[in-house]
Amino acid sequence: MAGGFAVLASVPALSVLACTLLGLGGGACLVLALTFQSERAGSSGEAAAPAGMAQSVGYLVAAAGPLLLGILHDSTGSWTLSLVVLVVLSAAMAAAGYGAGRNRLGRCSAR
């Protein structure tokens, strides 16, 4: 996803490539996020807590993101800074996903 946003910010003429990267990246991120939630839990009961938290926070961020990026665009008069913010957030999301993908169970259980 970071690559798609970077292409869109630096070479807008390659918007088809950028949109392709963003579509593939967004789909992969969703699938991985849902997979990591279930992989970290020892049982279906343990999966409910992190899934509920992740979806609540995720939808809150998803609702506020476009508004905040629009305000940033209006204050700068350009989409460049908004796209740079998205590149940074995508890189942070990749780092968090790397950490979440480690081979270990979560600490949700009371065992």
Side-chain angles (χ1 to χ4, degrees):
M1 287 188 66
F5 288 126
V7 167
L8 199 55
S10 60
V11 190
L14 295 177
S15 61
V16 172
L17 173 64
C19 289
T20 302
L21 291 173
L22 288 168
L24 292 172
C29 287
L30 177 64
V31 169
L32 287 171
L34 295 174
T35 300
F36 291 158
Q37 291 172 18
S38 64
E39 289 292 322
R40 291 291 158 258
S43 69
S44 59
E46 290 178 9
M53 185 277 305
Q55 290 177 10
S56 298
V57 172
Y59 285 119
L60 180 64
V61 171
L67 174 67
L68 296 175
L69 290 174
I71 290 170
L72 185 59
H73 169 263
D74 285 346
S75 63
T76 62
S78 171
W79 284 110
T80 304
L81 186 56
S82 295
L83 290 170
V84 169
V85 167
L86 289 171
V87 169
V88 171
L89 291 175
S90 296
M93 181 175 60
Y98 180 77
R102 293 177 299 187
N103 190 17
R104 64 182 180 91
L105 286 177
R107 297 186 185 136
C108 296
S109 66
R111 292 181 247 183

